[in-house]
């Protein structure tokens, strides 16, 4: 995989050219301080303190804390809103002993390890409101699909900045984007002199009006908000989760100066004062000044996972398509795939191929109930992109005269265990495991609270 091919698949690079054919999206540049937070490093290093700028990269990451919320709104609904007190649903005083009261539900608010990003928080909350109140977050290439287990509903649907930060901080897919995506390219070379944006505003939060042209397109394309409407039939269980999550699983794209799609935010970053912070031998992604973005994509709760396909392009020819979710069998899909194949081929010839410059790549599409095709994402060829029901060896073997389509044809033919699951610690219930320790501590705390209730009665 070449760096040029990877960079060309970044969402902030391809979205302006394809905004009429994809999901409404707001793109925000991420400040260096927030990137350091995602890396588990001090967001605002104290040059004279314990964590100086450019400190030991091998140091243990900081404890997991959500950013401090500066807007005044609650980061998450109170716990007892979802878990009523089993002792007495009518006695809120007793309930607060178990779940804390709304007044002190943020006991770590003043912890010095909790950084605040007021400008970024305001920009994210504003963008989510603009997109209808819920959005799917992703960075330049990947969405935090593997962190869905952290959310209350098992999806990566976000309604506020705190939820976005929690998913990004918990995701290995996002960590890979930050630390490994560019170095995995065979022609990647660390910069000879690592440089960092020295502008104060870039560290504190997103620049005002940054990437405004992209935000404006969301308002201009009012019909985009109906772009992925589905039929009136109900979605299957977890249908919205599968399609929305899979829609931004992996992603990538290059500085398309050749295509003229370079953003104004990139130019501002280039013009900002720079300072040397390291040598090539000490290169880290945090220090090299590469601009990362947060893309917030409108959330559609009723999407059907069987309507999404991954398409493979080799030497600028569409050669294969695969069911995007290979972990399930959909009885209607074997027959329906023959119907949608010509529609996807026409979409490729009329929309994708004339505007996307790479020779080899993959792209994901969603086929609506009315037959219209919508672009979901681009991914580089090979590397960490999943070939799903194919293998990369098969796709690279021989010239193909016709497009080959593969779907799961029967029960038992699925391919489980791709790369999204839950941490092993969540499945290990043995003596001394994380769950074992947690449950013992929970029992101890419950016994203390019950003893306290008995003493007060």
């Amino acid at each position: 995989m070449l760096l040029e091919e990877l960079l060309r698949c970044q969402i902030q690079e391809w979205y302006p050219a394809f905004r009429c054919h994809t999901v409404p999206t707001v793109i925000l540049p991420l400040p260096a301080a927030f990137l350091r937070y995602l890396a588990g490093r001090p967001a605002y290093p104290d040059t004279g303190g314990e964590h100086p700028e450019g400190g030991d990269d091998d140091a243990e990451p900081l404890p997991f804390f959500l950013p401090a919320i500066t807007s005044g709104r609650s980061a998450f609904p109170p716990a007892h809103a979802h878990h009523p007190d089993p002792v007495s649903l009518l006695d809120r005083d007793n309930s607060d002993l178990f779940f804390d009261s709304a007044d002190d539900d943020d006991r770590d608010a003043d912890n010095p390890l909790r950084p605040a990003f007021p400008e970024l928080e305001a920009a994210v909350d504003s963008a989510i409101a603009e997109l209808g109140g819920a959005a799917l977050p992703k960075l330049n290439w990947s969405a935090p699909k593997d962190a869905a287990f952290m959310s209350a509903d098992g999806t990566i649907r976000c309604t506020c900045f705190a939820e976005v930060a929690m998913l990004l901080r918990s995701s290995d897919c996002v960590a890979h984007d930050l630390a490994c995506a560019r170095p995995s390219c065979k022609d990647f070379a660390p910069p000879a002199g690592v440089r960092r944006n020295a502008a104060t505003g870039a560290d504190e939060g997103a620049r005002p009006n940054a990437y405004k042209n992209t935000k404006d397109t969301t308002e201009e394309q009012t019909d985009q908000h109906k772009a992925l409407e589905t039929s009136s039939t109900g979605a299957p269980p977890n249908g919205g989760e599968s399609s929305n999550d899979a829609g931004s699983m992996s992603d990538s794209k290059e500085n398309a100066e050749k295509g003229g799609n370079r953003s104004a935010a990139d130019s501002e970053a280039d013009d900002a004062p720079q300072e040397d912070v390291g040598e090539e031998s000490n290169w880290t992604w945090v220090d090299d000044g590469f601009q990362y973005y947060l893309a917030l994509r409108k959330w559609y709760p009723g999407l059907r996972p069987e309507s999404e396909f991954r398409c493979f392009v080799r030497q600028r020819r569409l050669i294969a398509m695969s069911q995007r979710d290979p972990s399930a069998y959909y009885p209607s899909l074997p027959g329906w795939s023959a119907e949608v194949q010509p529609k996807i081929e026409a979409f490729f010839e009329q929309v994708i191929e004339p505007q996307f410059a790479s020779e080899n790549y993959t792209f994901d599409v969603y086929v609506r109930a009315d037959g219209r095709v919508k672009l979901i994402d681009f991914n580089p060829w090979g590397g960490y992109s999943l070939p799903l029901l194919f293998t990369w060896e098969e796709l690279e073997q021989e010239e193909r005269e016709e497009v080959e389509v593969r779907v799961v044809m029967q029960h038992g033919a699925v391919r489980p265990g791709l790369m999204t699951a839950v941490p092993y610690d969540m499945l290990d219930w043995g003596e001394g495991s994380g769950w074992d320790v947690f449950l013992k501590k929970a029992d101890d705390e419950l016994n203390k609270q019950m003893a306290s209730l008995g003493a007060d009665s």
Side-chain angles (χ1 to χ4, degrees), residues 19-306:
R19 61 179 176 268
C20 295
H21 304 282
T22 189
V23 182
T25 302
V26 176
I27 301 176
L28 304 170
L30 289 175
F34 188 73
L35 295 177
R36 288 192 289 267
Y37 164 75
L38 293 181
R41 294 169 58 174
Y44 303 102
D46 181 2
T47 55
E50 297 182 19
H51 305 286
E53 184 94 18
D56 184 6
D57 294 326
D58 296 328
E60 287 293 323
L62 297 178
F64 189 115
F65 282 104
L66 289 177
I69 303 302
T70 60
S71 63
R73 60 177 291 180
S74 176
F76 301 99
H80 47 64
H82 299 289
H83 305 286
D85 177 19
V87 175
S88 172
L89 294 175
L90 301 179
D91 189 348
R92 178 59 56 84
D93 292 335
N94 286 347
S95 150
D96 288 341
L97 289 174
F98 290 91
F99 301 107
D100 292 332
S101 65
D103 296 332
D104 60 359
D105 61 352
D106 199 8
R107 291 171 293 181
D108 296 315
D110 297 327
N111 192 300
L113 297 179
R114 292 192 64 184
F117 309 99
E119 294 182 17
L120 180 61
E121 179 186 344
V124 168
D125 287 342
S126 174
I128 291 176
E130 179 183 335
L131 294 170
L136 178 154
K138 64 175 290 182
L139 293 196
N140 300 30
W141 296 285
S142 299
K145 182 181 178 181
D146 58 318
F149 71 93
M150 291 287 290
S151 67
D153 59 359
T155 74
I156 55 174
R157 172 182 178 272
C158 295
T159 60
C160 64
F161 172 69
E163 293 176 340
V164 171
M166 177 186 70
L167 291 177
L168 296 180
R169 183 74 165 81
S170 306
S171 171
D172 284 341
C173 291
V174 167
H176 174 270
D177 264 19
L178 297 172
C180 303
R182 288 180 296 139
S184 69
C185 298
K186 60 184 179 182
D187 60 340
F188 174 76
V194 178
R195 304 177 72 83
R196 184 200 308 283
N197 244 338
T200 303
D203 269 5
E204 184 177 357
R207 290 185 290 275
N209 300 321
Y211 219 87
K212 186 177 185 297
N213 59 324
T214 302
K215 294 184 68 176
D216 289 344
T217 59
T218 306
E219 300 175 2
E220 295 169 4
Q221 301 295 333
T222 55
D223 61 332
Q224 288 185 46
H225 291 260
K226 299 179 181 179
L228 295 184
E229 291 175 349
T230 56
S231 63
S232 58
T233 58
N238 297 326
E241 302 169 20
S242 175
S243 188
N244 274 295
D245 294 355
S248 295
M249 168 56 201
S250 55
D251 335 273
S252 45
K253 178 166 188 180
E254 158 185 7
N255 292 330
E257 295 182 20
K258 300 176 183 177
N261 288 335
R262 193 165 185 242
S263 70
D266 289 332
S267 300
E268 292 176 18
D270 291 343
D271 294 338
Q274 305 282 333
E275 59 181 357
D276 291 332
V277 297
E279 299 298 331
E280 179 175 355
S281 59
N282 294 325
W283 176 85
T284 66
W285 68 267
V286 180
D287 298 329
D288 73 353
F290 183 81
Q291 182 63 65
Y292 290 91
Y293 292 85
L294 170 64
L296 296 166
R297 317 202 73 187
K298 183 176 176 63
W299 178 268
Y300 293 91
L303 301 186
R304 300 176 300 170
E306 68 269 29

Side-chain angles (χ1 to χ4, degrees), residues 338-360:
E339 179 183 337
V340 302
Q341 177 181 347
K343 298 175 182 178
I344 297 177
E345 292 181 4
F347 182 77
F348 168 73
E349 294 172 359
Q350 298 168 13
V351 177
I352 303 295
E353 198 277 335
Q355 300 186 75
F356 199 71
S358 291
E359 291 285 324
N360 307 310

